[in-house]
Amino acid sequence: MNSTCLVCSAAIEPFLSFGRMPVANGFLSESEFADEFFYDLAVGFCDHCSMVQLTQPVERERLFHDNYAYFSSISTRMAAHFEEFARSVTSQYLATSDPFVVEIGSNDGIMLRHFAEAQIRHLGIEPSANVAQVAIDRGINTICKFFDADLAREIVNRHGHANAILAANVMCHIADLHTVAEGMRILLGRQGIAQFEDPYLGSILEKTAYDQIYDEHVYYFSISSVQRLFSDHGLELIDVASQSVHGGSMRYTLAPQGARPVTNAVVEQQRREAAWGLARAETFDKFRAAVERSRDRLSEVLREAHKNGKRVVGYGATSKSTTVTNYCDLSPQLIEFISDTTPGKQGKYSPGVHVLVRPYEAFAANYPEYALLFAWNHAEEIMAKERDFTARGGKWIMYVPEVTVV
Ligand code: DWN
Ligand code: SAH
Ligand code: ZN
């Protein structure tokens, strides 16, 4: 099925389809099975503006509401990452009198809390009411709305221009990026900068991390697609920096056109993207082939374990796991349950395939032979705390960058 680019309206063709998918963070109870919502998950590449994107985005109110399942502060590693992010913004961009910081998609305040604690003027924009409330309870100024150009005007009227706009793992979630880019330009005035980070297309392709593809991730950014999108709104990409979190992210720095020098890092990363062929159809065809191989191999490993009477438990009920379990058809027959530390996910079933999510204690109380690491992006943190599991002979099944049993 052909569709049109969400950024530039050119025609695009999908290069990879996953079939029918439920909402990635739509953990549900048994009584809700009958009414579960499904859509067709597929990604395409726009030849015209080089944006990789979902061909059929899901309505945002289905994804972000007063019962959003992801609480950012759940991982120690991410808490440390955002503390460092806040520190670097403060020292580089806030050395002025009475600075003002705005964060888009501030969730439970994992990053903004550092500005609040330092008594720096700050404002979080977070449409999911339950996670926003956690931030508010922590004393972090938060508005429960979707960010757009109108809201940016309101913020300028009330608080003045922002010295820094920050956004982590949220820009790629917003289908209408034009109103967001426009809002950022309005909110920044002439002096400010914006910094945002998201999973990087180059890393997703390199690691065959196809599970980053799900409803909330509408876009898979590269340097060229980001540059092009924001330049239409008077914002220039002045710096980029790779980040190791979430399996390989990119942090982009934007400033009003001509306001600040462009670093070499931008030019170098662009050169790398050209060499990799990040804008060539063959690159995406190769990715599709690698994804299909990965799916077949993982399915085989799990079916083999089941045949041999081995227990397999999923580790981390991630959004990403919804793509994997549904695409590879991993039913409760193959995965006994998924262990997760988020109270709101526990006792519910995973979207689509309906594997039960249980508290971490259920994993620790009766170790299975295999743990399927859905939270592979937190592998270091998790392996460090699960030495006892491996010491007792437990094995990890991993599927990024390749299906392996270790
Ligand atoms: O982009 C997004 C990122 C920032 O977060 C959102 N669209 C949604 C979400 O994606 P995710 O669900 O794939 O994120 P994580 O961080 O990979 O999720 C980790 C999950 O694993 C959480 O449910 C918590 C759980 N967990 C656990 O049970 N034990 C995590 C750790 C570190 C643990 O030790
Ligand atoms: N920044 C956090 C949260 C990422 S999850 C982190 O990196 O851990 C994505 C968050 O963006 C969710 O909390 C969601 O409610 C929020 N969000 C989605 N669309 C948004 C929009 N248009 N404006 C502001 N926030 C949005
Ligand atoms: Zn386009």
Side-chain angles (χ1 to χ4, degrees):
M1 188 195 66
N2 285 312
S3 49
T4 51
C5 175
L6 296 164
V7 174
C8 77
S9 301
I12 52 170
E13 229 181 285
F15 60 80
L16 175 57
S17 299
F18 295 93
R20 236 168 66 98
M21 276 289 156
V23 169
N25 264 315
F27 296 90
L28 68 179
S29 49
E30 234 171 312
S31 63
E32 295 166 315
F33 287 178
D35 294 328
E36 196 169 11
F37 171 82
F38 289 88
Y39 68 100
D40 281 319
L41 177 65
V43 269
F45 167 70
C46 176
D47 242 344
H48 188 66
C49 73
S50 49
M51 190 65 87
V52 173
Q53 57 195 278
L54 296 188
T55 55
Q56 190 189 317
V58 173
E59 197 191 2
R60 65 187 188 179
E61 286 77 10
R62 273 195 193 276
L63 312 179
F64 311 114
H65 38 62
D66 57 5
N67 193 20
Y68 184 56
Y70 185 71
F71 288 75
S72 299
S73 297
I74 212 94
S75 153
T76 321
R77 166 84 178 86
M78 290 315 296
H81 173 79
F82 287 120
E83 182 174 4
E84 178 50 39
F85 195 161
R87 191 179 301 134
S88 102
V89 170
T90 306
S91 66
Q92 278 193 74
Y93 303 113
L94 303 184
T96 170
S97 77
D98 195 24
F100 178 42
V101 182
V102 174
E103 187 184 353
I104 303 172
S106 44
N107 199 280
D108 60 9
I110 188 169
M111 172 143 69
L112 272 189
R113 57 178 283 220
H114 300 289
F115 299 101
E117 280 160 16
Q119 301 195 347
I120 291 172
R121 277 200 305 137
H122 63 275
L123 184 61
I125 317 298
E126 176 46 67
S128 296
N130 60 328
V131 295
Q133 192 57 47
V134 173
I136 292 166
D137 293 344
R138 278 170 151 177
I140 298 161
N141 305 325
T142 307
I143 301 181
C144 188
K145 279 191 178 160
F146 288 97
F147 181 79
D148 60 15
D150 286 339
L151 184 58
R153 283 185 201 100
E154 262 175 57
I155 298 172
V156 174
N157 287 340
R158 281 190 85 138
H159 306 274
H161 290 114
N163 299 84
I165 299 176
L166 310 177
N169 307 302
V170 59
M171 293 300 251
C172 74
H173 294 56
I174 307 178
D176 186 0
L177 279 177
H178 288 300
T179 185
V180 169
E182 187 59 15
M184 287 165 77
R185 189 188 55 79
I186 293 166
L187 186 50
L188 283 182
R190 230 7 237 170
Q191 297 307 313
I193 59 94
Q195 271 193 332
F196 71 93
E197 61 185 45
D198 282 291
Y200 180 52
L201 176 65
S203 307
I204 293 173
L205 299 183
E206 186 196 354
K207 296 186 174 167
T208 317
Y210 68 89
D211 59 347
Q212 288 289 7
I213 301 170
Y214 57 88
D215 49 14
E216 290 183 25
H217 290 174
V218 180
Y219 297 106
Y220 307 86
F221 295 140
S222 62
I223 307 297
S224 42
S225 60
V226 165
Q227 204 165 38
R228 148 106 208 210
L229 167 75
F230 287 96
S231 70
D232 285 353
H233 296 275
L235 294 173
E236 189 171 22
L237 181 62
I238 60 160
D239 197 16
V240 294
S242 331
Q243 308 293 320
S244 61
V245 296
H246 290 301
S249 290
M250 190 62 76
R251 186 177 296 170
Y252 306 88
T253 309
L254 302 164
Q257 188 71 42
R260 292 174 193 241
V262 176
T263 63
N264 243 337
V266 176
V267 183
E268 275 167 25
Q269 194 64 29
Q270 250 175 332
R271 213 174 279 147
R272 265 178 228 132
E273 288 189 353
W276 292 335
L278 270 203
R280 276 206 306 268
E282 306 94 84
T283 307
F284 301 111
D285 290 338
K286 268 193 211 150
F287 176 64
R288 181 184 53 241
V291 170
E292 287 169 357
R293 271 197 305 276
S294 174
R295 172 197 59 193
D296 296 347
R297 181 74 192 119
L298 182 61
S299 170
E300 191 180 297
V301 166
L302 288 175
R303 275 158 237 277
E304 190 67 21
H306 178 65
K307 209 176 72 195
N308 296 331
K310 307 287 189 207
R311 295 176 56 223
V312 179
V313 169
Y315 199 106
T318 58
S319 326
K320 299 180 287 286
S321 69
T322 294
T323 297
V324 177
T325 51
N326 286 276
Y327 181 57
C328 304
D329 192 18
L330 308 180
S331 64
Q333 254 210 331
L334 302 179
I335 303 174
E336 194 175 305
F337 64 88
I338 304 175
S339 157
D340 196 284
T341 52
T342 315
K345 295 180 186 176
Q346 298 162 1
K348 295 215 169 155
Y349 292 86
S350 75
V353 293
H354 304 158
V355 177
L356 184 62
V357 180
R358 300 185 66 196
Y360 172 72
E361 290 66 30
F363 173 76
N366 182 14
Y367 286 140
E369 276 96 359
Y370 295 105
L372 171 55
L373 188 56
F374 288 128
W376 55 267
N377 47 311
H378 302 299
E380 225 173 287
E381 178 177 343
I382 291 171
M383 302 280 179
K385 55 184 178 206
E386 294 305 343
R387 288 207 194 90
D388 188 43
F389 166 63
T390 39
R392 295 189 192 199
K395 291 207 182 335
W396 293 99
I397 302 175
M398 315 273 288
Y399 53 89
V400 174
E402 264 168 30
V403 177
T404 44
V405 181
V406 290

